[in-house]
Amino acid sequence: MSSRRFTGKTESDAVMNAAMELGIPSTDLDYEVIDPGSNGFFGLFKKPAIIEVKEKKEEKTVSKPVIEPQEKQVSKAKPKKKERRSEKKNNSGKRPANKQKEVSVQKEKKKNKAPENIDQITKSTEKYLDEVLRAMGLDPKLNLYYNRRDNVLNINVSGEKMGALIGKHGQTLDALQYLTSLFVNKKSESYIKIKLDTENYRERRQQTLEKLAGSIAYKVKKNKKPIYLEPMNPNERRIIHSALQRDPDVITKSEGKDPYRKVVVMLKK
């Protein structure tokens, strides 16, 4: 069993960073606080919180081969060869078209299917988020609403100091939304989309990005040079692309790799 260390402004931030990097819910983390950190003196000499997370390795079980008499092995091997040959002749090693359609339809149904235990999921999610937000030093009021048509669990958080929940450009809010999605879909028999918001931040951020896109397009047309925007998450990049999609003079594209992937706005050739 190996261990890794993660840091954050607070213990809660360190736990959130560890959960995001390891791709598991924070409730499943087995960690030890190495240093709780400190706020320093009048904002000076701050120390980050440090935790050590133990990573569990899956144990692989090796099954012992069953030794059978040679005659039985030969007799079993023959029909298998015939089955393989018949499959190659009939399907050329590929799944029949009707089978492929059937599998894709089942996957789509599962994706859009509303879970039967949605009330239980909603209650457990509210409790989970309340504990996480209080650990961040907030006193939240939660309003959860499940949209059955779109299969989306909408979560709105209200209260004081919501700026700490939003973070820089919504990074903390996005991180918590991701962790909540992991928590919810671990308990659900079908995939549920999560939309976490506070103080109508998502809509306000979209309006800001759309205005930014218009301003950047104007500068590109004026200076005849491409402009690279700051790194954004996939949703925010999508807003920029959509805002300039109908502009006849400029085009947009994304360059780089996440989390440093950014949008480039340039003149059409």
Side-chain angles (χ1 to χ4, degrees):
M1 181 180 292
S2 59
S3 61
R4 292 177 59 184
R5 291 191 176 187
F6 295 88
T7 61
K9 291 182 180 179
T10 63
E11 179 185 338
S12 177
D13 289 338
V15 172
M16 188 178 296
N17 292 336
M20 286 185 64
E21 185 165 336
L22 299 175
I24 58 177
S26 58
T27 51
D28 290 351
L29 286 178
D30 182 10
Y31 70 92
E32 179 183 353
V33 179
I34 304 300
D35 190 337
S38 66
N39 292 326
F41 182 71
F42 289 106
L44 300 175
F45 311 110
K46 290 183 179 180
K47 288 178 63 180
I50 304 173
I51 64 170
E52 187 172 80
V53 178
K54 296 178 181 179
E55 297 184 65
K56 298 179 181 179
K57 295 183 179 179
E58 296 181 358
E59 297 181 358
K60 297 182 179 179
T61 55
V62 180
S63 57
K64 296 181 179 180
V66 180
I67 302 175
E68 297 182 356
Q70 189 173 0
E71 292 181 1
K72 288 185 179 181
Q73 289 181 350
V74 173
S75 62
K76 285 184 177 180
K78 286 182 180 179
K80 285 183 180 179
K81 288 181 180 179
K82 288 180 182 179
E83 288 175 4
R84 287 175 184 172
R85 287 176 184 173
S86 62
E87 285 176 3
K88 287 180 181 180
K89 286 180 182 179
N90 296 333
N91 303 322
S92 301
K94 296 180 180 179
R95 189 191 296 269
N98 57 345
K99 288 285 184 182
Q100 288 180 345
K101 289 181 181 179
E102 191 176 320
V103 171
S104 62
V105 168
Q106 289 175 353
K107 285 183 178 180
E108 193 64 26
K109 284 182 178 179
K110 184 177 180 181
K111 184 177 179 181
N112 297 324
K113 178 186 175 185
E116 295 179 358
N117 59 335
I118 186 62
D119 291 336
Q120 181 183 349
I121 291 173
T122 302
K123 289 179 182 178
S124 61
T125 303
E126 184 176 6
K127 181 181 177 182
Y128 166 75
L129 269 176
D130 185 74
E131 291 176 354
V132 172
L133 293 170
R134 290 187 185 281
M136 294 172 62
L138 302 175
D139 184 16
K141 293 180 181 179
L142 295 167
N143 181 22
L144 286 77
Y145 167 72
Y146 176 67
N147 186 328
R148 187 172 295 273
R149 185 185 65 181
D150 299 328
N151 195 20
V152 177
L153 182 58
N154 295 281
I155 307 170
N156 186 63
V157 187
S158 58
E160 297 180 357
K161 302 178 182 178
M162 287 296 103
L165 173 59
I166 296 171
K168 183 181 178 181
H169 299 326
Q171 290 178 351
T172 306
L173 191 65
D174 288 338
L176 188 56
Q177 179 174 278
Y178 172 72
L179 291 176
T180 305
S181 178
L182 290 177
F183 175 83
V184 169
N185 289 294
K186 181 181 178 182
K187 297 177 176 293
S188 173
E189 65 263 15
S190 63
Y191 183 79
I192 300 175
K193 297 176 186 176
I194 301 299
K195 185 178 179 182
L196 180 65
D197 199 3
T198 181
E199 297 181 346
N200 206 24
Y201 171 79
R202 301 288 185 192
E203 185 177 344
R204 289 189 290 112
R205 179 63 174 166
Q206 180 173 344
Q207 292 173 355
T208 301
L209 290 173
E210 288 173 346
K211 289 180 181 178
L212 173 66
S215 175
I216 294 297
Y218 172 78
K219 290 180 180 179
V220 169
K221 295 173 191 176
K222 182 179 178 180
N223 300 325
K224 312 294 182 183
K225 293 181 180 180
I227 294 180
Y228 292 76
L229 278 68
E230 64 180 6
M232 297 178 181
N233 61 45
N235 183 56
E236 294 187 339
R237 295 198 303 269
R238 199 176 299 115
I239 292 172
I240 298 292
H241 291 310
S242 178
L244 298 179
Q245 188 174 11
R246 296 182 180 179
D247 192 308
D249 301 317
V250 299
I251 58 173
T252 61
K253 67 175 183 177
S254 295
E255 288 187 359
K257 294 182 179 180
D258 287 324
Y260 306 107
R261 193 165 174 80
K262 58 184 69 176
V263 175
V264 186
V265 184
M266 62 187 71
L267 284 175
K268 283 186 178 179
K269 294 182 180 179

